[in-house]
Amino acid sequence: MEQLKIYTRLISAELHLPEPGVENTLKLLDEGCTIPFISRYRKERTGGLDEVQIAAISNRAEQLQEIAKRKATVVNTITEQGKMTADLQKRIDDCWEMTTLEDIYLPYKPKRRTRAQIAREQGLEPLATLLLMQREANPERAAQRFVVAGCSPANTSEALKGAQDIIAEQVSEDERSRNTVRSAFRREAFIVSKAVKSKKDNDEAQKYSDYFDWEEPLKRCSSHRLLAMRRGESEGILRVSITIDDDEAVSRLQRSYVRGHGACQRLVAEAVEDGYKRLLLPSIETEFANLSKQRADDEAIRVFAENLRQLLLSAPLGQKRVMGIDPGFRTGCKVVCLDTQGNLLHHEAIFPHPPVNHRMQATIHVQQMIADYQIEAIAIGNGTASRETKEFMEELKAAPSIYVVSEDGASVYSASKVAREEFPDEDVTVRGAVSIGRRLMDPLAELVKIDPKSIGVGQYQHDVDQTKLKHSLDQTVESCVNLVGVNLNTASQHLLTYVSGLGPALAQNIVEYRTAHGAFTSRVQLKKVPRLGPAAYQQCAGFLRIPNAKNPLDNSAVHPESYAVVEQMAKDCQCTVADLISQKETREKIDIKRYVTSDIGLPTLTDIMKELEKPGRDPREQIEEFEFDASVQTLDDLHEGMVLPGIVTNITNFGAFVDIGVHQDGLVHVSQLANRYVSDPTQVVRLHQHVRVRVIGVDVRRQRISLSMKNV
């Protein structure tokens, strides 16, 4: 209980959130509640905290738990050494910052046999203390007392050197010294990148040419530049360091330790300089390298998660009969026909393009498939031969609506275990085409089957902390799935996995129960699914939808625990729940304050009324068709000043990449996104947004296109 109070106080102060909301959120998380469930169905207890705030509380609580574990290790180690004091114990108890904790621990931390340790074993610690006191007029004479014939140290010079080693280590482990150097790094550190001479002229190294001779203040170094330099360093092309003015840092430290002038003072000054250069500087440089990398990781992960959210929440076409096409030239276009549930009905290959050029035969086959399978829409992958295939399909008479769909990650899906289980008898090309067709119908349901890192919307995703990245992306997927809601009778096992309170095992049990007993007709049937107990039911029920259920609330976001209050509203209005949903004038007569109880407050009642207005509404936008400029096919067709339609394919913190139909995305730099300063590109553009851009530069040799959205 005491730990909960401490966590509540710390998190509330750091995140500027009310303590009662933070405390209740921590309790709910400890009870096993998920973030989507807490934010949606426990607003009274949290004070209306949203998903982002609850996720921040959860993440910080996990960090504090790690610090608590580390503190236990520190206390045990120091206690075993017999060096624990009441004051030291209090300092550790009061410390909730990992860097400070490690500074406290450093003098007691078991370490390899250092030069200072060897000197201590030689009995030179008293000599080091004498030197630090700086009262000896003749340190040589003082050192003579520590020289014993036939033992180390062999002479006064060795004795003084050993004492200096002890002082150097003490300086490097002193909290004030470390904080002095840290302050200098925070204020004035530069990150410096140089090319490795032997690698400089390699073709592979040219992508890092901007960083062959680069330096800038560390505090101004953006996430993408730092990650680029660190990648170049890991590939052996760059040498990267973080530096400050060493002379000034040494001078500042010496002023803390050296008092006056004399032989002792000179020896102490030398020891301080040695402690700084040999021990303290490498330690703090590593610390800042790690901290700056961590900040860059956090920013890159934030951008990736936001892009993934936008992608997963892309507008769905809905339950239509779709033809999916994975376009190609030499190997042809793989065509699949899907029913309204995304089931594969038929597949074949057509060859309308060079070098085969069976255009007439392809036309006949496509028209026959459209007729036979009553195709309502066509999805074409945006890879090789995409534009040519779209133009071919548009030439067909009475062709359904045509959409170009991102095929990033389709090849990863087609070779995955999930795809093999879904289509054990089909090859990877068929599976890829199915994925393209299903992405049009419901991007969320299909994309959850693919590792987010393979979807192509990240920035340096393979360079950042992989554990943090997975945690953030899993949270994002879970958030999106539960925001939209899931059809209990059509959802795949993979999609069900991300529903609040479920997971792989329960998702599989639901699918197996559905297969054995037929479609669910009510949410309460979930309780019959093996191993799906009351806790899991509470967490998942509100996010699962059953269209055409006997109880219309089963197809809404109203949680079963609130059904009674809705039924009471209907009873008071002398109508059915279905009438309450269909009759706006009846709902408007309801005074929700009458239904407030100790368990259900105004926030939940307000949500219920919104849900009754549009039960099970999909928060995603409506899908739009898109056309590239027909006159632009390749890079050679571009010239400065052209204004073209495009689709945003990726967003980074330095700008947005836009597909303008030439098989090479162009970059709208952050400075070209709007007629104002833009700190975050996601405030201006979103993934898959249809935009108009102006060409401001074309570099054919480097395959680079510069675009602008200013004054377009």
Side-chain angles (χ1 to χ4, degrees), residues 379-400:
I380 301 173
N382 68 342
T384 304
S386 174
R387 285 197 67 173
E388 293 80 358
T389 303
K390 185 171 186 288
E391 289 166 2
F392 163 71
M393 299 303 290
E394 287 171 340
E395 293 172 5
L396 301 178
K397 292 182 179 179

Side-chain angles (χ1 to χ4, degrees), residues 40-111:
R40 174 79 196 191
Y41 297 113
R42 291 296 180 262
K43 291 180 178 177
E44 285 82 359
R45 288 186 64 181
T46 68
L49 297 179
D50 62 29
E51 271 198 31
V52 175
Q53 292 167 321
I54 294 168
I57 292 171
S58 174
N59 292 338
R60 184 56 180 145
E62 288 176 7
Q63 292 169 2
L64 291 174
Q65 287 164 1
E66 287 301 312
I67 293 172
K69 290 179 185 176
R70 183 62 175 159
K71 284 166 72 169
T73 300
V74 168
V75 168
N76 288 339
T77 304
I78 298 175
T79 302
E80 287 171 2
Q81 293 174 8
K83 297 178 181 178
M84 182 60 75
T85 64
D87 179 60
L88 184 56
Q89 181 71 61
K90 186 176 187 309
R91 289 191 64 207
I92 294 171
D93 289 343
D94 293 344
C95 176
W96 289 100
E97 208 282 314
M98 191 67 88
T99 300
T100 305
L101 178 63
E102 293 299 337
D103 278 355
I104 294 171
Y105 182 40
L106 190 56
Y108 309 95
K109 188 174 183 178
K111 53 179 77 75

